Amino acid sequence: MATVKNWPPTGAVVNLGSSVFARSMRDQGASVYEVLWEPPARGKLELIEILDVLAGREDIEEANRLALERYSSAQPVLVGIGRARDVIPGFGGKMLLHAGPPITWDRMSGPLKGAIVGAIVYEGWAASPEDAEGIAVEGDVEFSPCHEHSAVGPMAGVVSPSMPVFIIENRTAGNRSYCTLNEGLGKVLRYGAYSSEVLDRLRWMADVLAPVLAKGIELSGGIDLKSIIAQALHMGDEVHNRNRAATSLFIRTVAPYLLDTGFPLANIRRVLEFMNGNDHFFLNLSMPAAKAMLEAAHGVPKSTMVTVMSRNGTDFGIKVSGLGAEWFVGPAEKVKGLYFPGFRDEDANPDIGDSSITETAGLGGFAMAAAIPIVQFVGGTPDDALGFSRKMYRITMTENRFFSIPVLGFRGTPTGIDLRKVVETGILPQINTGVAHKDPGIGQVGAGLVTPPWECFEKALLAFAGRYA
Amino acid sequence: MATVKNWPPTGAVVNLGSSVFARSMRDQGASVYEVLWEPPARGKLELIEILDVLAGREDIEEANRLALERYSSAQPVLVGIGRARDVIPGFGGKMLLHAGPPITWDRMSGPLKGAIVGAIVYEGWAASPEDAEGIAVEGDVEFSPCHEHSAVGPMAGVVSPSMPVFIIENRTAGNRSYCTLNEGLGKVLRYGAYSSEVLDRLRWMADVLAPVLAKGIELSGGIDLKSIIAQALHMGDEVHNRNRAATSLFIRTVAPYLLDTGFPLANIRRVLEFMNGNDHFFLNLSMPAAKAMLEAAHGVPKSTMVTVMSRNGTDFGIKVSGLGAEWFVGPAEKVKGLYFPGFRDEDANPDIGDSSITETAGLGGFAMAAAIPIVQFVGGTPDDALGFSRKMYRITMTENRFFSIPVLGFRGTPTGIDLRKVVETGILPQINTGVAHKDPGIGQVGAGLVTPPWECFEKALLAFAGRYA
């Protein structure tokens, strides 16, 4: 092949960074070559100085290796289903859990308020949605983030004390995580719907679905979620917005055990039908699996690994392994995506849900190259999907040992978001997500792509510097 | 970007085709640029003349459009399971069906002989493998290709009269196709094994598996195989050597109906376990689905569409839509692939089985870009998998309307092999396949890649010219 030498041609202009100058030169008739470039840390000197101080620190590298090893060696296994108030630590009384960082009633978005109202009626604390809202306004119910109880919830993420929840155990470290069972599509509590149809389904889930599944899981001796996720990544899922393969693998794994449960055949049949009718059923297993792996990596002093990314529909919050319980918060952004027929941009609530725990674990948007068909659901092209995964290697610490992407030559998914790399590159984690209607009681209106707000990472880096620099 | 002009540089040599001249010029110090090129029809003048005559023929184009339309509009639905002798046309008495083109006992390869022996014992026509071989040698059993009875069988493909077979109906044209149920991996009849373990499993399949599944399928009202295949192509399957997704989708679809069959719970449970234990279970559904679609396209006068590609372990045979019942045969080739531990090249039987009906239908090797993880099973790299699919567009007539490849921008799979294009380009259809041990009674030793022998296509083109030129 011929090689191009002497580039750029003599007399041409090379422009670094902003296109403004290039345009102006071009207007004057010059040949301009543009090199894409952004200044580190978005050009903020204070942050650049911190990054310089933190760059060579072997103690931080060592802490990150430990955090990553705890993540990588985690073995999330579905071990059972229990009633939320009986199994979730620190949960009980008139408490409701919700997605994202802490928030008060007055600042909650429509879908979260809707789910709270639904849960209050479901628990029998109020007889009507109006009464439920009154109770919420008056502060008679305590709100607490799922993430502060080793739990996660998709979208509104509301967990009430009598709801059944999956119990996932990390068999390496022994820590457990929790998540409700997925209700399916359409009008569902997690999107803020609370009609009698929604509450009736929740009661059926507690009365029929949960006992049958719980017994089947018990008889199975535990179901290895890490193996299912690894296989599903080779089957077109990224286990955030595409869970068709993982749901299928879960059904075929658990089905034989369901037949041994001794429950009426009609109930077992209905359980199989319910799971078969919902390709997102596994989402509520991929999320707590990711949580169990990441919680094992949390709390390593000096580690810059991001262990939580989560949204409540108003705020986006992150946590960092070396920074303990503190949330670093910024405004939740609007999702760019595809809307279901009849809905549009103005109907959309800002970003909401704990499901970005999948991205935090190197799945979801980080693994989109494994799930190219997802672009038909969240928008974009196959090249975009490949590009998102490739880009995420620039802000992560390693390539996953277990989760790999066939089309990238079986490269491990980009794993372990390094707070320093996000700030240095200005590249924000890529999340794909469902979109809730901004008003309570309506439900999902679409799906798309979103990133956290920059300030979460800026605040976290400043806090990290304050503690460790 | 800079553009390369004036290529090749003045004074350089451009070499077209064989590298011999290029090497010799390079040895003499010249700059040589090589252009890959092969003469049409492998340089055979007689074939080139035929291709010239056939090239502009609107009647052939019209025939191919009709054949393709019959293929494309076919709707293969699994409608039931029946006993082979009761449902397969022209089948009964002491007859055994086998994979590939017609063959006599003396020319059969080891695995086909093994499967024949097993089937004779299974039918009770002989008490021992030794007696069975005697019966086969003496010609007391009639052998007939599956393909001459609208049936297909993986590997040896042996069907005996009392075996249960899937019944697939093309709901558009009404034609039906048939295939045995997949036995699983290890020692199985289709790889020529015939121990008591093999025959006991076949009996269990006839006595327990088939009745339960048959009733479940009946209660379902029919299971749409085309939809499952289309989904599976977005889930890492090409439905020849990767059927994990399709098997999973089939299980979750049929499972609820199995619970309504009224059979003992223990039997239903065992059926679910059996299917869950075998990721190739769907192969015996993708094959007859492909057969039902292609048989609809067969028998269109003047059509050059290839409608059968099949191997009996000794010969490879093809059929062409416009050439009726005639087989065009050449020697089956050795498969290049990956061997299971303990086996190597010398152990391998030549290419065997009707499963290349999937490639003939635009699936299997033609859809490998949809199933990149398959390279871990059959060898090669992700780029090879993409390359095989891309190359097959050069010998096919259209891009599939229903089966698409996400990573190629959801391009339809290369579909409808045109006999003329194969001969013109010299590009042979790409097949991926399992490899049987050459001796009877052993089983699978690996998996890999193979093509048909060139002469099948050369003979078919000559016959086509004889009839239509």
Side-chain angles (χ1 to χ4, degrees), chain B residues 9 59 133 163 215 303 318 356 363 417 441:
Chain B
D59 53 346
E133 191 161 340
M163 285 182 185
K215 186 72 183 171
S303 168
I318 71 167
S356 40
L363 302 166
I417 300 169

Side-chain angles (χ1 to χ4, degrees), chain A residues 309-353:
Chain A
M309 298 196 295
S310 181
R311 324 80 105 193
N312 57 33
T314 303
D315 307 312
F316 195 116
I318 71 167
K319 292 190 177 194
V320 175
S321 177
L323 294 177
E326 193 174 353
W327 289 93
F328 303 96
V329 173
E333 307 205 347
K334 277 289 185 101
V335 181
K336 284 183 190 127
L338 301 176
Y339 290 92
F340 297 165
F343 295 106
R344 50 195 190 139
D345 207 39
E346 295 80 58
D347 299 316
N349 197 73
D351 196 17
I352 184 169

Side-chain angles (χ1 to χ4, degrees), chain A residues 231 234-235 242 244-245 248-249 252 256-257 259-260 265 268-269 276 279 372-373 375-376 382 406-407 410, chain B residues 4 231 234-235 242 244-245 248-249 252 256-257 259-260 265 268-269 276 279 372-373 375-376 382 406-407 410:
Chain A
Q231 289 180 68
H234 289 197
M235 297 169 70
R242 239 183 105 92
R244 175 173 287 172
S248 304
L249 292 171
R252 62 184 273 193
Y257 298 107
L259 270 63
D260 294 338
L265 212 55
I268 299 170
R269 189 197 196 288
N276 182 39
D279 276 329
I372 290 174
V375 301
Q376 296 179 320
V407 74
F410 300 95
Chain B
V4 181
Q231 289 180 69
H234 289 198
M235 296 168 71
R242 239 183 105 92
R244 176 172 287 172
S248 304
L249 292 170
R252 62 184 274 195
Y257 298 106
L259 271 61
D260 293 339
L265 211 56
I268 300 171
R269 188 197 197 287
N276 182 40
D279 276 329
I372 290 174
V375 301
Q376 297 180 319
V407 73
F410 300 95

Side-chain angles (χ1 to χ4, degrees), chain B residues 5 42 52 57 67 140 158 216 243 263 271 282 361 414 442 446 462 466:
Chain B
K5 284 182 186 169
R42 301 202 165 178
D52 279 348
R57 288 266 298 266
D140 290 346
V158 168
N243 278 288
F263 282 99
V271 166
F282 192 83
I442 297 177
L462 291 169

